[in-house]
Amino acid sequence: MKKLLLLALAITAFSCNTEKKPNYVVISGKITNKLPTELSLNTQDRSFKELFNVAADGTFSDTLTVEAGSYILYDTKNPVFLYLEPGYNININYDTKDFQNSLAITGEGAPENNYLIEKINKTREIAGDNASLYNLSEQEYKDKQLAIKDSISVLLHKTKGVSKSFITKEENELQYAYLASLNIYERAHGYFTKDTNFKVSEDFLNDFEGFDYANDADYKASKSYKKIVADHYALKINKLVTNDSLSQDEAFFQVARSIPSEEIKNTFLFDVANQTIGRSKDIEAFYKNYMEASTNEENNTKITEKYNQLTAIAKGKPSPKFVDYENYNGGTTSLDDLKGKFVYIDVWATWCGPCKREIPFLKELEKGYHDKNIEFVSLSIDKVSDREKWRKMIESENLQGVQILADNDWKSQFVKDYQIQGIPRFILLDTEGNIVDANAPRPSDPKLGELLTELNI
């Protein structure tokens, strides 16, 4: 009997000592001074998004099942970069009027996440502004990036309470972040020095010699490694387009099929397809090639859903509608009000640099077609709360055409129906309100003039 009792106690002790960590995280906190219109937890690639309910006093709390990795808590203005692992129970507090200085994280997982806050601040402090950073010579730039890496490594090891597993992952990330910074130098230096022909020295990327582009574990764990791999294959795609005269889609699928790692191939396929299938000139062929190349059923289901939505806005289909959008000149405008004319819609925002670069070309276009059977509509997705910024830009730029403000920025139904994920976006409709081109050429593209001529406008 005594032996049985001792055995039972031993089993109990063993069970207590090996109790598994919860497979969920608890995230709570309080936002003071101004309640956000939306608060969400997102992955870096936006493949995961969970909305929080924020109470009237600014408090929020939720229990979520997530994989270990990097996330962003985002209130549509202030991003809180987080590292989460199952078992974490963290509390996040900040004042919207002084986000940078008031952000405070406590609880299980706080040491790792407070390190990330310090990491961001120290990196900014050492790197300085982008113009100064990317104007540096090759050696100066390398020295600066190594100084960032070394300083952050010191910070990591002196931060108390950080787990050993996190330190291992983060040291890996710091090395990959350094390498990723070398990858972008050529483009960034050329941009900031306005030297469009700039090329780095032959030995500038020697650190990449022997680099393994098929490390599944690092691809999943390190955002910088994933970026390096994506850049590597993007370069191959561009070379095929330039040297072999392949279309962007043809080059993409040829390169994707050549990726030796099944997991990396599937993720690369999905990431690119999720962002670009809507811009393909042949969505049917794109979807067919994607489904033949991808073996990830979950990803395939998501792309199929997107494909089904996109076929609803194919050429010749009735356009999704906007109804009673605020018009700069007063009153409201609906798409049906414009029937009888071709309609060229510019989806833009006052904060969008590429959108603003199209304005001079759009003005010229409007002048050239002012007496033709076409209406030019500029549909802003600025927040309704930023109405005055929108109105002031229309006035200062002397914008013409039909100037309207969407009812719910990115979440406006018209924007969602057209699967718009980036702006500017241009849409051309015929006189019956049917789609001519859901991804029409930009005003700066000579192909737009050719298209309008073909339509006898």
Side-chain angles (χ1 to χ4, degrees):
M1 180 66 107
K2 188 174 180 182
K3 287 182 179 179
L4 287 174
L5 178 61
L6 288 172
L7 179 61
L9 288 172
I11 292 171
T12 302
F14 179 78
S15 299
C16 291
N17 289 335
T18 59
E19 183 180 354
K20 291 183 178 179
K21 279 188 175 183
N23 65 347
Y24 56 82
V25 299
V26 178
I27 301 175
S28 59
K30 185 172 183 177
I31 301 171
T32 55
N33 262 320
K34 185 179 179 181
L35 296 184
T37 54
E38 179 181 285
L39 182 67
S40 61
L41 184 72
N42 311 267
T43 50
Q44 298 277 353
D45 61 4
R46 300 181 186 177
S47 61
F48 170 90
K49 180 177 182 177
E50 186 72 28
L51 295 174
F52 288 81
N53 290 319
V54 182
D57 64 352
T59 57
F60 60 91
S61 182
D62 207 347
T63 302
L64 305 168
T65 302
V66 298
E67 293 183 2
S70 299
Y71 295 84
I72 304 171
L73 184 73
Y74 190 50
D75 65 5
T76 74
K77 183 180 179 181
N78 302 301
V80 182
F81 295 94
L82 298 171
Y83 174 79
L84 300 176
E85 282 186 7
Y88 277 12
N89 187 336
I90 62 174
N91 189 267
I92 302 165
N93 297 279
Y94 63 86
D95 183 336
T96 55
K97 289 186 178 179
D98 190 16
F99 172 74
Q100 201 72 33
N101 295 314
S102 65
L103 179 60
I105 300 177
T106 56
E108 178 68 26
E112 289 83 357
N113 284 288
N114 282 315
Y115 153 78
L116 290 177
I117 295 172
E118 289 300 314
K119 173 185 176 181
I120 291 170
N121 292 337
K122 184 167 279 295
T123 300
R124 286 174 179 162
E125 177 188 326
I126 299 172
D129 64 276
N130 283 341
S132 299
L133 178 65
Y134 294 115
N135 265 289
L136 294 174
S137 67
E138 291 182 4
Q139 191 57 53
E140 289 171 331
Y141 179 79
K142 272 191 173 183
D143 290 344
K144 177 77 75 171
Q145 294 297 344
L146 284 170
I148 292 171
K149 177 191 168 190
D150 292 344
S151 295
I152 301 302
S153 181
V154 169
L155 173 66
L156 173 65
H157 287 280
K158 78 175 186 180
T159 302
K160 294 180 180 179
V162 176
S163 69
K164 290 182 179 179
S165 61
F166 179 83
I167 290 174
T168 300
K169 288 179 183 177
E170 186 62 11
E171 284 285 12
N172 223 20
E173 169 63 21
L174 292 178
Q175 174 61 16
Y176 286 137
Y178 164 70
L179 292 174
S181 74
L182 301 185
N183 253 352
I184 64 174
Y185 175 75
E186 183 175 278
R187 296 190 300 275
H189 184 77
Y191 174 80
F192 281 101
T193 60
K194 294 183 171 53
D195 181 1
T196 54
N197 296 316
F198 173 76
K199 297 293 179 186
V200 294
S201 304
E202 286 187 14
D203 61 349
F204 183 75
L205 296 176
N206 280 355
D207 289 326
F208 280 94
E209 286 183 9
F211 191 88
D212 179 10
Y213 291 97
N215 188 319
D216 288 355
D218 285 352
Y219 188 80
K220 189 174 182 180
S222 168
K223 62 183 180 184
S224 292
Y225 178 84
K226 186 176 181 181
K227 187 177 187 314
I228 290 169
V229 172
D231 286 347
H232 173 69
Y233 290 118
L235 185 61
K236 286 192 170 189
I237 291 169
N238 289 337
K239 284 182 178 178
L240 285 175
V241 171
T242 304
N243 300 333
D244 294 8
S245 300
L246 296 183
S247 72
Q248 196 74 27
D249 288 356
E250 289 170 334
F252 162 57
F253 285 112
Q254 183 170 316
V255 168
R257 291 189 191 99
S258 72
I259 296 175
S261 160
E262 193 74 6
E263 181 171 333
I264 292 175
K265 180 197 75 173
N266 282 330
T267 305
F268 182 74
L269 274 166
F270 175 76
D271 287 349
V272 176
N274 194 39
Q275 292 295 320
T276 66
I277 185 173
R279 295 198 294 272
S280 174
K281 290 301 179 185
D282 190 343
I283 292 173
E284 296 277 351
F286 188 104
Y287 177 69
K288 181 176 181 292
N289 280 313
Y290 175 85
M291 295 301 287
E292 289 174 351
S294 173
T295 58
N296 184 300
E297 291 304 319
E298 184 180 348
N299 289 348
N300 293 355
T301 299
K302 291 176 182 176
I303 295 299
T304 297
E305 289 173 1
K306 195 152 200 166
Y307 166 75
N308 290 335
Q309 291 172 325
L310 287 167
T311 53
I313 54 170
K315 183 177 180 179
K317 295 287 182 71
S319 171
K321 297 179 180 180
F322 55 82
V323 179
D324 292 337
Y325 279 8
E326 178 182 344
N327 190 307
Y328 170 77
N329 290 325
T332 61
T333 298
S334 300
L335 184 59
D336 282 347
D337 298 336
L338 307 172
K339 267 196 176 179
K341 289 188 174 185
F342 285 91
V343 181
Y344 184 70
I345 303 171
D346 169 14
V347 183
W348 73 296
T350 59
W351 44 261
C352 169
C355 300
K356 289 186 277 190
R357 285 196 288 273
E358 291 295 321
I359 288 176
F361 300 99
L362 182 59
K363 285 181 176 180
E364 285 300 311
L365 190 68
E366 289 170 339
K367 283 181 185 177
Y369 286 85
H370 74 279
D371 58 348
K372 306 293 185 182
N373 191 36
I374 183 169
E375 198 75 72
F376 294 93
V377 177
S378 293
L379 192 162
S380 167
I381 58 169
D382 281 286
K383 294 181 184 300
V384 173
S385 59
D386 290 331
R387 179 185 290 108
E388 284 310 305
K389 291 180 183 177
W390 167 66
R391 296 187 70 85
K392 284 179 181 176
M393 180 166 286
I394 293 171
E395 292 166 9
S396 64
E397 294 288 341
N398 191 28
L399 302 183
Q400 302 300 309
V402 180
Q403 298 289 334
I404 56 177
L405 181 65
D407 59 356
N408 198 16
D409 52 84
W410 287 103
K411 296 180 286 297
S412 302
Q413 193 59 48
F414 183 81
V415 174
K416 291 198 275 189
D417 287 343
Y418 267 103
Q419 294 286 300
I420 297 173
Q421 294 180 309
I423 54 174
R425 171 75 171 270
F426 298 91
I427 301 163
L428 182 61
L429 311 179
D430 68 16
T431 56
E432 296 301 314
N434 297 320
I435 297 167
V436 175
D437 193 339
N439 280 285
R442 298 183 177 196
S444 58
D445 188 343
K447 290 180 181 178
L448 178 60
E450 296 171 11
L451 176 58
L452 298 181
T453 300
E454 286 175 16
L455 295 168
N456 295 316
I457 299 176

